[in-house]
Amino acid sequence: MSSTDDESWDEHVRVAVYRAFAAYGRQPTAPELADAAGGSLAVAKQALHRLADARHLVLDECEHVVLAHPFAAAPLGFSVMGGHTLWWGGCAWDSFAIPHLVPGEPEVLIATRCPACGTPHALVVGREAPPPGDQVAHFLVPVARMWDDVLRTCGHQRLFCAESCVDGWLAETGNAKGYVMDLATLWRLAKGWYAGRLEYGYRRREPAKAAEYFAGAGLRGAFWER
C-alpha cells in the first residue's frame, strides 16, 4: 500500500472515530472501523496508530481510543448531556467545546465537581454566549508540555468554585499554579478550537496559528506558547 493510500485510510478512519463520538458518545465499533478502512480492521488499526502519532487521538495499550478531543471514552471529571446524547468531556476546555462542534446540539448541560471541596457544579453551555457563574477554570500544564502526558493534562483542566479553591487544591497537592481563567474566557477558548474536526480535510493548527487563536480568546503569555 502506498503512502497516499495510507493517508486516505487515515482520514476515513479519523472521520469515522470523530463522527461516532459526536453521534453516539462512544468510539466506533470494530465493524465500523473496518468499514472506514475498506473492510479491513488491520488497516484501520494501523491508521489509528498513525493518527495517534500525529496527535489526532490517544490510544490505550489495547488499541482503544481513549481521547478524540473534545470527546473522551471514559469519565475524566465531566459529563456533557445534550438533548439526545451523553458524552464524557476530556476536560473543562473540551466539555465547553462540544456544543460548538456537534450538529443539532447547540446547548448542553455540563456537570462536574470542584476538585478542592467537592461542590457539584452544573452549567448550561451554548453557542451564543458564555454561561453565567463565578466558577473559574485552572489549567495546570502549559501548552508546550500538554502532549507530554495528555491524560494528566486533561485530568488537570478543571473547574473550581473560585480561585480560593484553586489555591487550596494547589497547597494540598503540592502542584505549582498554572493558569486561571473565568468562564467567559474558557468559552471563548473552546468556541472555535475544534472547528471542522468532524469533516474531511481537517488540519491541526500550526504553532503560529494556535498562538493567534489563543490571543483572540484573550490568552497570552508564556503559558500559551507552543
Side-chain angles (χ1 to χ4, degrees):
M1 182 180 290
S2 69
S3 60
T4 302
D5 290 333
D6 286 348
E7 291 173 3
S8 177
W9 292 135
D10 290 357
E11 186 66 352
H12 283 295
V13 170
R14 185 193 68 78
V15 171
V17 168
Y18 277 96
R19 289 184 177 177
F21 271 110
Y24 309 116
R26 59 158 176 81
Q27 64 180 309
T29 63
E32 289 169 344
L33 281 173
D35 285 347
S40 172
L41 185 57
V43 170
K45 287 186 175 182
Q46 292 168 5
L48 287 176
H49 283 280
R50 289 190 295 268
L51 290 167
D53 290 342
R55 297 182 176 180
H56 284 290
L57 46 82
V58 179
L59 301 177
D60 65 14
E61 63 278 2
C62 298
E63 299 181 313
H64 296 148
V65 178
V66 178
L67 287 169
H69 297 290
F71 310 107
L76 291 175
F78 294 86
S79 65
V80 183
M81 188 70 216
H84 309 286
T85 306
L86 172 66
W87 297 275
W88 303 121
C91 55
W93 183 351
D94 286 350
S95 298
F96 269 54
I98 288 175
H100 299 288
L101 181 65
V102 178
E105 294 282 7
E107 187 176 88
V108 298
L109 176 64
I110 296 174
T112 188
R113 286 182 179 273
C114 175
C117 67
T119 298
H121 295 285
L123 300 169
V124 176
V125 179
R127 298 176 186 171
E128 300 304 319
D134 297 325
Q135 297 92 338
V136 298
H138 175 255
F139 287 17
L140 183 66
V141 181
V143 167
R145 306 299 301 273
M146 284 181 176
W147 278 88
D148 291 358
D149 183 344
V150 69
L151 286 174
R152 178 177 182 271
T153 295
C154 289
H156 290 89
Q157 293 182 352
R158 299 294 300 274
L159 290 179
F160 291 77
C161 301
E163 193 158 358
S164 58
C165 272
V166 175
D167 293 337
W169 179 82
L170 293 170
E172 182 178 348
T173 61
N175 287 302
K177 198 166 194 173
Y179 195 96
V180 178
M181 69 188 81
D182 61 17
L183 295 182
T185 303
L186 177 63
W187 184 86
R188 291 193 301 270
L189 170 63
K191 182 178 180 181
W193 181 250
Y194 295 119
R197 183 154 279 196
L198 301 182
E199 308 305 323
Y200 284 91
Y202 173 82
R203 294 289 182 269
R204 297 179 71 248
R205 287 180 180 81
E206 296 298 324
K209 289 294 184 182
E212 181 180 318
Y213 181 90
F214 295 148
L219 298 165
R220 298 177 176 84
F223 188 93
W224 296 97
E225 296 173 1
R226 296 179 70 177

